[in-house]
DNA sequence: ATGCCTTGTCGCACAAGA
């Protein structure tokens, strides 16, 4: 069971690139972020032609998350509980039928939070608190759970080309680290770190300043697992090659293989 | 130094991203 996460930075601009990667990588389930489209504008047919069912939580112009699955999607949840006034489309959860039972998957686009002196930073921290509360309730189900997405958090110094350059940034602030650790401390496993402690493994390279050419990357896309999912983890890989393609997203796909 | 790209929006520049 191959499960991927990919911030595609616009589904319309990235459609052919995404289809090419899907045909080649053949993931069972894909969590997409930043589709930048309303549900009605999402080219679902193109993905259905490849055998995927599509679940969406779209938004006009910004944000927007999706889940593609070759297995049946039984139910979905759009948005995190805890703030009815939050209209940003950043969370989608699906229960997917697999041979061994049910697998719960979430596609997460955690707020960036910059600039940190604006209301965007407290929004990020509050969103992380809501995510933690919701995940805590999901863990009580004691089922395989995969929380996949763009977390906009650089977990550790070894996850960034130059920690000094990110000092003070919302992706690297102590408050962001504390919230991310609190989430992990519920009992989640960071898939990549369960498979390797190698430094300088990145999932994002800025379009600007030759970041890709200089390998000035950061690791901010993560697949976090419940204990029942972590027990099934076989491998975790980053498809770095996708960043060198024409018209690339600034993020690349990261995926896990589960023994399920 | 928030820019040096890239995307989407009814755009003829701008916000947002990270």
């Amino acid at each position: 069971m191959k499960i991927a996460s990919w911030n595609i930075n616009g589904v319309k601009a990235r459609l052919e690139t995404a289809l090419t990667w899907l045909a080649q990588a053949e993931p069972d389930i894909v969590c997409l972020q930043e589709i930048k489209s309303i549900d009605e504008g999402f080219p679902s047919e193109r993905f259905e032609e490849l055998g995927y069912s599509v679940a969406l939580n779209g938004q006009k112009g910004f944000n927007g998350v999706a889940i593609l699955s070759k297995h049946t999607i039984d139910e979905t949840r759009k948005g995190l509980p805890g703030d009815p006034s939050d209209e940003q489309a950043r969370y989608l959860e699906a229960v997917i039928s697999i041979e061994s039972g049910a697998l719960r998957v979430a596609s997460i686009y955690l707020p960036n939070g910059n600039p940190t002196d604006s209301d965007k930073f407290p929004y990020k921290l509050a969103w992380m608190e809501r995510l933690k509360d919701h995940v805590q309730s999901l863990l009580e189900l004691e089922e395989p759970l995969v929380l996949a997405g763009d977390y906009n958090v650089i977990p550790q110094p070894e996850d960034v080309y130059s920690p000094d350059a990110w000092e003070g940034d919302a992706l690297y602030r102590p408050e962001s680290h504390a919230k991310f650790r609190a989430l992990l401390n519920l009992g989640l496993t960071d898939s990549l770190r369960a498979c390797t402690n190698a430094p300088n493994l990145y999932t994002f390279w800025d379009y600007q300043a030759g970041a890709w050419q200089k390998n000035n990357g950061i690791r901010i896309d993560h697949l976090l697992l419940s204990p029942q999912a972590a027990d099934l983890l076989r491998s975790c890989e980053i498809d770095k090659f996708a960043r060198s393609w024409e018209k690339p997203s600034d993020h690349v796909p990261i995926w896990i293989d589960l023994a399920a």
Side-chain angles (χ1 to χ4, degrees), chain A residues 162-174:
Chain A
S162 170
D164 289 347
W166 289 80
E167 193 76 41
D169 191 281
L171 280 65
Y172 204 64
R173 279 277 293 257

Side-chain angles (χ1 to χ4, degrees), chain A residues 116-248:
Chain A
T116 53
D117 60 357
S118 73
D119 55 6
K120 293 182 178 183
F121 191 51
Y123 172 70
K124 173 180 191 153
L125 298 176
W127 203 95
M128 293 182 83
E129 186 70 23
R130 288 165 59 204
L131 177 63
K132 190 192 75 168
D133 288 346
H134 183 55
V135 169
Q136 188 159 30
S137 69
L138 292 180
L139 286 172
E140 292 173 6
L141 300 171
E142 298 189 344
E143 62 186 11
L145 168 69
V146 178
L147 303 163
D150 174 0
Y151 282 75
N152 272 315
V153 174
I154 303 166
Q156 302 273 12
E158 57 268 31
D159 299 314
V160 50
Y161 63 96
S162 170
D164 289 347
W166 289 80
E167 193 76 41
D169 191 281
L171 280 65
Y172 204 64
R173 279 277 293 257
E175 298 93 327
S176 307
H177 283 147
K179 294 284 188 199
F180 188 71
R181 281 198 307 272
L183 182 64
L184 289 173
N185 288 344
L186 293 174
L188 299 176
T189 294
D190 178 344
S191 294
L192 189 88
R193 285 300 172 226
C195 295
T196 177
N197 55 14
N200 313 119
L201 297 173
Y202 308 136
T203 62
F204 169 93
W205 295 260
D206 202 295
Y207 288 123
Q208 301 184 74
W212 167 245
Q213 288 75 12
K214 290 186 267 190
N215 197 28
N216 285 349
I218 53 179
R219 187 173 77 92
I220 54 175
D221 299 271
H222 311 299
L223 290 133
L224 306 187
L225 309 178
S226 71
Q228 293 76 14
D231 284 345
L232 303 173
L233 181 63
R234 280 200 285 234
S235 63
C236 181
E237 303 287 340
I238 297 169
D239 281 355
K240 183 176 180 179
F241 57 82
R243 188 61 178 79
S244 67
W245 287 358
E246 285 197 31
K247 258 179 87 70

